[in-house]
Amino acid sequence: MTAASAAAGALALPSTMGAQTRISSTLANDRHRPRVHLLPPSLWLNDPNGPLHFRGRYHLFYQYAPAIDNFATKYWGHAVSTDLVHWKNVGIALAPTAGGPDKNGCWSGSAVVVDGIPTIVYTGATWSAESERAERAKGIIPERQMVAIAADPNDPNLTRWIKIAENPVLAAPPEGIRAVGWRDPAVWKEGDTWYMTIGCGEAGKGGIAPLYSSRDVRRWTYLHPLAVARPDPNQDPNRPGSSMWECPDFFIVDGKPVLLVASGNRYLTGTYIDHRFEQESEGRIDFGSASYAQKTMEDEKGRRIWWGWLREKRSSEAQTAAGWAGVMSLPKLLTLRRDGTLGVEPVPEVRVLRGGQQKTISNRTIEPNGPLLLDGVSTDCAEVDVEIELGSAHQAGLRVRAAADGREQTLIGYDRDTQELFSDTTASSTDAATATGQGLRANRGVEKGKLVLQNGEPLRLRVYVDASVIETFANGRASISDRVYPSSDAALGVGLFVKGGTARVRSMAVWQLTPISNDRLTSGAELFRV
Ligand code: FRU
């Protein structure tokens, strides 16, 4: 056992308050741990779950595990905010019940208010990871659908939840669907009737979103598929996991029906007639592979707000040694644009994070051999806003988390030849732990997605740099999230780059961001002990 993994063992099993305090202070001083993003006090976060705006408070739940492992038993962690920016972790909302239909985990789901009572609908996992694989191979499904209600709707933090006696409210997928998986319920109301879809799919065919209805969110009737994936010739029946839609989410934004599916952070737009969704076109909310398991809510202001799980991009050993893994994205506001695609921007509330302005620039030419970094800017917690006229350049953009000699740097830019927004982390770290990740997938490299700029339209980037998180928004309609772990603690520079010509900065501002807590959200760890 290495010193690092021994420390991680202690992290997973704090035996005394003294140990807990030591762990919290180690994490609070971990320079890779973000300061303005939500994450649990320690250990594991994956999917956003059940976002709910209730009586003026935002409740955001997330998949939490007391181990650095996506196959560990999952709980619902719970955080509360009044402004969508400052979060406080309030503890575990849902824990598996020994011998119950969720004995191996409380998986993803939704929250709605039913007759004044906040109500969670989630998936219970019946089997352990090992038996699950074997049973799935036989066509048996471990998932059950479950309901829990707030114990006291007058508790502003809604800390206690009660599982209802009728659980599981659904015990098997619909007859006739040879499901490879059946999880992550999404619930909405039309008139007096509740509707629900659940992530599902068939081997070799692809995603299915079965539709159910209910009067009380407890007794559900299967209707028919809400939507079925378009045939995909690349579907590999031997990889059943890729044949389902995980984490579907369905809503109407500014009159347009939208279905979200987890893979690729894709959104499908189309028609919704007789409770059947027909896809017309599709796009992606976030181009980054770091982002997964997207989930939205409508808030009390009628806005459609989006979150994603920002996964780690370093080895599991490095994650275990760090004692934490997984971060919630910033909340993104989704709107419908005139061309039928979705607008994607940070919610306006995140502006409260802006502290002092470190730098402003206007009307400056960016030359291929210009300075690597801007003078007087040194930060790993900043918002960088820039408007660039591409001029004769083929590529232009920002350099962040950059060392003075450029040996470590991350490029966020636009390629006008391919019309793509990109995040290039090829050189973001020299640490070998960032080379490859799960399944030997490359952790560093170029990731990108389509962004067509109109004639004369400048590139407008808004980049949130928050330790290992780089979240980028472009021109109000594209976003890409990434994770970086520079080995040098001096990789704090910000610069401009250009390739194949010159470009011009119309305006640029670098804002230092004010942390949302004074301890990188490490407090409240005792509320997460299981
Ligand atoms: C997506 C997912 C969900 C499941 C949850 C379990 O990341 O696999 O489908 O409910 O994670 O944590």
Side-chain angles (χ1 to χ4, degrees):
M1 186 186 272
T2 63
S5 64
L11 282 164
L13 294 168
S15 53
T16 64
M17 278 314 281
Q20 183 59 62
T21 310
R22 275 198 307 283
I23 292 157
S24 298
S25 80
T26 305
L27 296 184
N29 291 312
D30 181 341
R31 67 187 175 85
H32 293 307
R33 197 171 151 97
R35 293 188 178 95
V36 301
H37 283 78
L38 169 64
L39 70 180
S42 68
L43 301 168
W44 178 270
L45 170 148
N46 60 297
D47 313 0
N49 290 159
L52 182 71
H53 198 192
F54 182 65
R55 298 190 190 165
R57 283 189 181 218
Y58 292 97
H59 296 265
L60 184 51
F61 305 86
Y62 48 80
Q63 289 284 284
Y64 168 77
I68 309 287
D69 177 6
N70 200 17
F71 290 102
T73 300
K74 299 291 173 59
Y75 296 68
W76 276 42
H78 181 188
V80 178
S81 168
T82 52
D83 66 358
L84 281 175
V85 175
H86 296 90
W87 295 97
K88 191 171 183 289
N89 279 306
V90 295
I92 288 174
L94 295 176
T97 299
D102 61 1
K103 64 181 180 198
N104 192 49
C106 300
W107 287 0
S108 291
S110 301
V112 288
V113 179
V114 184
D115 296 331
I117 312 285
T119 301
I120 286 173
V121 187
Y122 69 102
T123 297
T126 320
W127 299 327
S128 72
E130 294 75 47
S131 64
E132 185 190 315
R133 286 193 194 119
E135 299 296 338
R136 279 193 203 278
K138 288 188 230 150
I140 305 170
I141 289 293
E143 291 103 342
R144 307 283 181 266
Q145 311 312 325
M146 310 280 291
V147 169
I149 57 171
D152 176 9
N154 293 320
D155 164 12
N157 284 343
L158 301 176
T159 34
R160 281 207 328 110
W161 293 80
I162 299 170
K163 296 175 191 174
I164 65 168
E166 297 94 310
N167 281 325
V169 295
L170 285 173
E175 296 275 325
I177 299 183
R178 291 164 51 84
V180 294
W182 181 59
R183 55 184 179 270
D184 315 332
V187 181
W188 67 95
K189 199 176 189 186
E190 295 176 33
D192 291 339
T193 309
W194 292 97
Y195 290 88
M196 169 169 74
T197 188
I198 299 177
C200 194
E202 289 194 16
K205 284 192 185 166
I208 302 173
L211 183 69
Y212 300 79
S213 73
S214 172
R215 287 280 157 174
D216 58 3
V217 183
R218 294 172 183 230
R219 278 158 301 174
W220 291 96
T221 307
Y222 173 63
L223 301 176
H224 51 250
L226 165 71
V228 176
R230 286 182 169 173
D232 176 359
N234 300 323
Q235 271 293 339
D236 178 356
N238 298 319
R239 293 186 60 229
S242 66
S243 303
M244 74 173 283
W245 276 337
E246 286 188 315
C247 308
D249 203 7
F250 181 68
F251 52 86
I252 312 282
V253 63
D254 302 330
K256 192 77 192 165
V258 179
L259 180 68
L260 302 184
V261 296
S263 85
N265 306 302
R266 275 187 309 145
Y267 71 87
L268 318 180
T269 52
T271 57
Y272 180 52
I273 299 166
D274 296 333
H275 296 104
R276 289 174 197 269
F277 174 85
E278 287 291 338
Q279 181 186 339
E280 289 171 336
S281 61
E282 68 174 85
R284 297 175 68 191
I285 308 282
D286 190 317
F287 303 148
S289 70
S291 174
Y292 192 67
Q294 51 185 343
K295 183 76 185 162
T296 73
M297 69 163 187
E298 186 179 35
D299 76 353
E300 289 176 341
K301 299 173 186 163
R303 302 179 301 173
R304 184 55 57 177
I305 298 172
W306 181 103
W307 281 275
W309 159 36
L310 304 185
R311 308 189 266 206
E312 301 300 318
K313 285 189 160 192
R314 53 179 169 171
S315 68
S316 34
E317 291 77 15
Q319 295 174 37
T320 304
W324 63 277
V327 180
M328 192 66 76
S329 72
L330 291 174
K332 304 185 184 186
L333 181 64
L334 304 186
T335 51
L336 184 70
R337 293 166 49 82
R338 267 202 295 267
D339 66 2
T341 62
L342 293 187
V344 184
E345 284 174 291
V347 295
E349 284 91 333
V350 299
R351 283 169 200 260
V352 307
L353 292 169
R354 289 178 182 170
Q357 228 174 30
Q358 283 208 2
K359 187 103 185 162
T360 56
I361 291 177
S362 58
N363 202 9
R364 181 187 291 186
T365 304
I366 321 174
E367 314 263 7
N369 295 320
L372 210 57
L373 302 180
L374 300 172
D375 286 339
V377 183
S378 172
T379 181
D380 66 353
C381 192
E383 176 189 335
V384 185
D385 291 2
V386 66
E387 200 169 306
I388 299 176
E389 286 171 13
L390 292 168
S392 58
H394 288 267
Q395 285 188 358
L398 287 173
R399 175 180 286 119
V400 295
R401 296 304 321 260
D405 60 5
R407 255 172 43 91
E408 291 188 321
Q409 56 173 307
T410 297
L411 300 178
I412 304 294
Y414 185 69
D415 186 314
R416 75 127 58 97
D417 301 334
T418 58
Q419 300 186 302
E420 283 167 328
L421 174 71
F422 65 83
S423 168
D424 182 352
T425 60
T426 311
S428 59
S429 178
T430 55
D431 180 354
T434 65
T436 49
Q438 229 178 6
L440 297 182
R441 189 185 63 205
N443 270 340
R444 286 188 272 109
V446 183
E447 296 200 16
K448 54 200 180 185
K450 204 80 186 164
L451 171 63
V452 179
L453 297 182
Q454 302 307 315
N455 257 344
E457 185 184 4
L459 173 67
R460 285 189 286 112
L461 295 177
R462 172 171 292 183
V463 180
Y464 291 88
V465 177
D466 187 14
S468 56
V469 176
I470 312 288
E471 240 183 297
T472 298
F473 296 84
N475 292 61
R477 57 183 190 272
S479 78
I480 185 163
S481 300
D482 225 324
R483 303 295 307 276
V484 300
Y485 313 85
S487 54
S488 161
D489 58 7
L492 301 170
V494 174
L496 293 153
F497 75 89
V498 71
K499 279 189 192 152
T502 60
R504 194 175 72 97
V505 173
R506 275 193 192 167
S507 62
M508 177 169 177
V510 182
W511 308 80
Q512 190 62 32
L513 297 179
T514 309
I516 61 172
S517 72
N518 58 15
D519 59 7
R520 299 191 202 231
L521 283 185
T522 52
S523 63
E526 66 287 354
L527 303 169
F528 285 74
R529 200 165 308 143
V530 294

